[in-house]
Amino acid sequence: MKSIPLQYESLKAVLIHMDANIRFKISQRLPTIRITEKMVPLRVRSLRLDEYSTTVNDTVYQLGIYREFKLGENILEKIKRENDYGGIESDLDQYGFRISPGHSLVTPGDISFRDMNSHALQYDTIGVERSYRDELKIYEKALLLRTNSETDGITTTEHDGNLEGNRADLFPTYGLQMPLDTLKYHIDNLYTELLPFECRRFNLKPPYVCYIQLTIQTGKTKQIQRFPYKIKLYEAMKSLNTLLFGGRRSLILAERFHLPTSSIILRLPIGFKVGTRQLRDLPFFQNDRFNILSSILDLSFFPLDLISIYVKNANDVQHPIVSTAKTLIIFGFGTDVDKRTAIRNCSNRQVAFRSIWFTITVEQMFGNVQYCLENQLIETCYSYSINDEKTAKELFRLIKTHINNTKRTKRCVSIKTTDRRRLEVFYIPTKSMQNEEQVERMYDSKWILKIRIVRV
């Protein structure tokens, strides 16, 4: 039977319901529909941007520098491992030194979360080399002592960290305590780091050839493509994102839009715009990060259903993008942030604390209970991720000891207030939660503890 090609309107109707990654493939293989594909709104369940990777739904597009060793050359273990993970996420110079990733170079469409006055790291200084050689001397001395017990009659129990002098001459206690395989791995890593210094000293080329590697991975399935290393890695990332998202006539509609916390600069095509109601993992670089994000977000989707942030200062939670969201997830606090003030500045209906990089103490949770009692008209429900049930029990003990009119059951404390309201403090196992979205928010904890004011 002769096949009949889809007409224009039918093609658009099919494309809009097609998985984004399949659309990318079709667009590249069938240039005749490329223009139509760009005109149809792109809908994705999840979009994650990083400096050298882009994740669309369950598919990761990752770029790195792959180093292929010349025939007969010894393959260094560290480089082999980096190759296995898709290549190093940094450009390399003629000797193999990592070089500045171009953070000071912002092209049209890019967004940067870094202070432009920041200085690029240097990897090829005399001080860096000296540090590597000192550390290598320590580890090699440890290896010698462990593989030759007759050396100078020294055993691993003598001089337990009591020697004085230069760091390179200190008895390598920690080298003697770690597993032998780990010790050898550290030594191999240091030789790898010193290789560029040797190449520069004798004006030699590294024993490998560099390629830009594109890894496309969905689950356990990988596709790998390698290209001659003729442009910078950040330029390749710009080209990749332009290929995926450039030239689109309408918004990219993302149910969830993720921005990894450590992103410094994102290489995006001109006109890149996202419509989303869930903004996750805001980077903690630069104070005006919220205003920077406004340039790539469609504000008609505000207020957001959910936003997750790292709090750099107590006022972050009062920014309109944050304060108007229905649910706020805080996954980290800056070292100088007054957590108590930040928590009290929150006005969202749901505030969740995912304690990945910080700890909320029992005393701080008790302070939040007192705050809710003092401000009984607030409608915020606070959720804390906890791993030890003892934390909840200790909070209950504090409440019973210091607050009157309390009633306790096994996992709940209820406090009657004076205006036909009551405050509830309770905890439940994460695995018992029915709402998939709620489980995803607190997936890294065993228990969820909640504090809320309810009407009687």
Side-chain angles (χ1 to χ4, degrees), residues 376-393:
Q376 297 169 20
L377 296 179
I378 65 173
E379 297 183 354
T380 299
C381 174
Y382 301 93
S383 301
Y384 297 86
S385 61
I386 57 176
N387 282 313
D388 192 341
E389 192 176 5
K390 291 180 181 178
T391 302
K393 291 180 178 180

Side-chain angles (χ1 to χ4, degrees), residues 92-252:
L92 302 173
D93 70 7
Q94 60 182 324
Y95 301 115
F97 285 111
R98 284 180 290 169
I99 56 179
S100 170
H103 289 152
S104 60
L105 300 172
V106 181
T107 61
D110 297 345
I111 60 170
S112 174
F113 298 99
R114 179 173 178 152
D115 182 355
M116 290 297 101
N117 295 320
S118 300
H119 298 291
L121 295 175
Q122 285 188 278
Y123 301 93
D124 62 347
T125 65
I126 294 174
V128 171
E129 181 180 12
R130 184 182 298 119
S131 177
Y132 286 147
R133 292 196 181 280
D134 285 350
E135 194 171 351
L136 180 61
K137 184 181 292 187
I138 291 172
Y139 284 135
E140 287 190 325
K141 183 174 182 179
L143 181 63
L144 179 66
L145 291 170
R146 294 180 66 170
T147 55
N148 185 0
S149 59
E150 296 180 0
T151 303
D152 297 330
I154 300 177
T155 67
T156 59
T157 56
E158 296 178 23
H159 311 300
D160 188 17
N162 295 319
L163 298 183
E164 298 179 353
N166 185 275
R167 176 174 176 267
D169 296 325
L170 289 175
F171 192 83
T173 304
Y174 49 97
L176 296 171
Q177 295 172 344
M178 67 177 63
L180 191 59
D181 287 346
T182 303
L183 177 59
K184 291 178 179 178
Y185 179 69
H186 280 302
I187 292 173
D188 181 82
N189 282 357
L190 289 165
Y191 274 112
T192 304
E193 297 293 352
L194 287 167
L195 178 60
F197 292 97
E198 295 296 319
C199 290
R200 183 174 63 182
R201 183 167 291 111
F202 299 105
N203 196 28
L204 300 172
K205 291 183 178 180
Y208 50 75
V209 177
C210 292
Y211 295 91
I212 292 179
Q213 176 170 305
L214 169 62
T215 305
I216 303 174
Q217 182 167 357
T218 305
K220 295 183 179 180
T221 303
K222 279 186 181 182
Q223 294 178 309
I224 293 174
Q225 301 176 46
R226 297 191 185 115
F227 308 91
Y229 186 26
K230 294 182 178 180
I231 61 175
K232 300 295 185 186
L233 193 58
Y234 71 86
E235 294 173 323
M237 195 65 215
K238 178 85 168 184
S239 297
L240 174 60
N241 281 333
T242 300
L243 183 69
L244 299 178
F245 307 117
R248 297 195 175 273
R249 305 284 184 87
S250 59
L251 290 173
I252 298 164

Side-chain angles (χ1 to χ4, degrees), residues 36-51:
T36 306
E37 195 277 322
K38 294 287 188 182
M39 293 181 65
V40 176
L42 186 67
R43 294 177 175 175
V44 299
R45 298 186 306 279
S46 174
L47 175 63
R48 180 185 294 275
L49 300 178
D50 207 340
E51 285 198 73

Side-chain angles (χ1 to χ4, degrees), residues 381-443:
C381 174
Y382 301 93
S383 301
Y384 297 86
S385 61
I386 57 176
N387 282 313
D388 192 341
E389 192 176 5
K390 291 180 181 178
T391 302
K393 291 180 178 180
E394 177 63 18
L395 176 61
F396 284 7
R397 188 191 65 78
L398 277 177
I399 293 172
K400 288 286 288 184
T401 302
H402 295 91
I403 300 175
N404 297 323
N405 300 319
T406 63
K407 182 179 179 181
R408 178 177 174 177
T409 59
K410 183 178 180 181
R411 292 181 183 166
C412 178
V413 169
S414 178
I415 306 167
K416 187 175 180 180
T417 62
T418 58
D419 63 344
R420 296 183 180 179
R421 294 170 183 259
R422 69 170 180 264
L423 185 143
E424 291 182 343
V425 183
F426 62 97
Y427 67 101
I428 57 176
T430 306
K431 63 182 180 181
S432 72
M433 300 179 77
Q434 300 296 320
N435 189 311
E436 204 172 294
E437 181 71 29
Q438 291 179 328
V439 174
E440 190 275 336
R441 293 176 202 168
M442 297 294 194
Y443 69 90

Side-chain angles (χ1 to χ4, degrees), residues 153-366:
I154 300 177
T155 67
T156 59
T157 56
E158 296 178 23
H159 311 300
D160 188 17
N162 295 319
L163 298 183
E164 298 179 353
N166 185 275
R167 176 174 176 267
D169 296 325
L170 289 175
F171 192 83
T173 304
Y174 49 97
L176 296 171
Q177 295 172 344
M178 67 177 63
L180 191 59
D181 287 346
T182 303
L183 177 59
K184 291 178 179 178
Y185 179 69
H186 280 302
I187 292 173
D188 181 82
N189 282 357
L190 289 165
Y191 274 112
T192 304
E193 297 293 352
L194 287 167
L195 178 60
F197 292 97
E198 295 296 319
C199 290
R200 183 174 63 182
R201 183 167 291 111
F202 299 105
N203 196 28
L204 300 172
K205 291 183 178 180
Y208 50 75
V209 177
C210 292
Y211 295 91
I212 292 179
Q213 176 170 305
L214 169 62
T215 305
I216 303 174
Q217 182 167 357
T218 305
K220 295 183 179 180
T221 303
K222 279 186 181 182
Q223 294 178 309
I224 293 174
Q225 301 176 46
R226 297 191 185 115
F227 308 91
Y229 186 26
K230 294 182 178 180
I231 61 175
K232 300 295 185 186
L233 193 58
Y234 71 86
E235 294 173 323
M237 195 65 215
K238 178 85 168 184
S239 297
L240 174 60
N241 281 333
T242 300
L243 183 69
L244 299 178
F245 307 117
R248 297 195 175 273
R249 305 284 184 87
S250 59
L251 290 173
I252 298 164
L253 303 173
E255 291 181 24
R256 302 177 182 180
F257 186 28
H258 298 256
L259 292 165
T261 56
S262 58
S263 292
I264 295 176
I265 188 166
L266 301 177
R267 306 293 178 178
L268 302 172
I270 297 173
F272 180 89
K273 207 83 170 178
V274 175
T276 186
R277 293 198 182 278
Q278 291 193 26
L279 187 58
R280 296 177 177 247
D281 310 325
L282 264 68
F284 47 73
F285 288 97
Q286 201 154 318
N287 289 329
D288 59 347
R289 56 200 164 135
F290 301 111
N291 297 327
I292 292 170
L293 279 172
S294 297
S295 66
I296 61 170
L297 295 175
D298 188 303
L299 302 184
S300 67
F301 284 75
F302 285 57
L304 298 171
D305 288 336
L306 182 147
I307 187 169
S308 63
I309 67 170
Y310 179 95
V311 177
K312 288 184 64 177
N313 61 69
N315 295 327
D316 278 353
V317 298
Q318 294 178 312
H319 190 281
I321 290 180
V322 181
S323 64
T324 59
K326 293 177 184 177
T327 298
L328 167 63
I329 299 175
I330 297 176
F331 58 84
F333 286 95
T335 53
D336 298 328
V337 173
D338 183 339
K339 295 177 187 175
R340 178 178 177 180
T341 301
I343 292 171
R344 295 188 175 191
N345 283 346
C346 296
S347 58
N348 313 78
R349 290 178 60 184
Q350 301 277 341
V351 178
F353 303 94
R354 274 185 54 198
S355 51
I356 303 174
W357 299 331
F358 68 98
T359 300
I360 296 287
T361 65
V362 173
E363 289 73 21
Q364 288 169 329
M365 286 190 280
F366 180 67

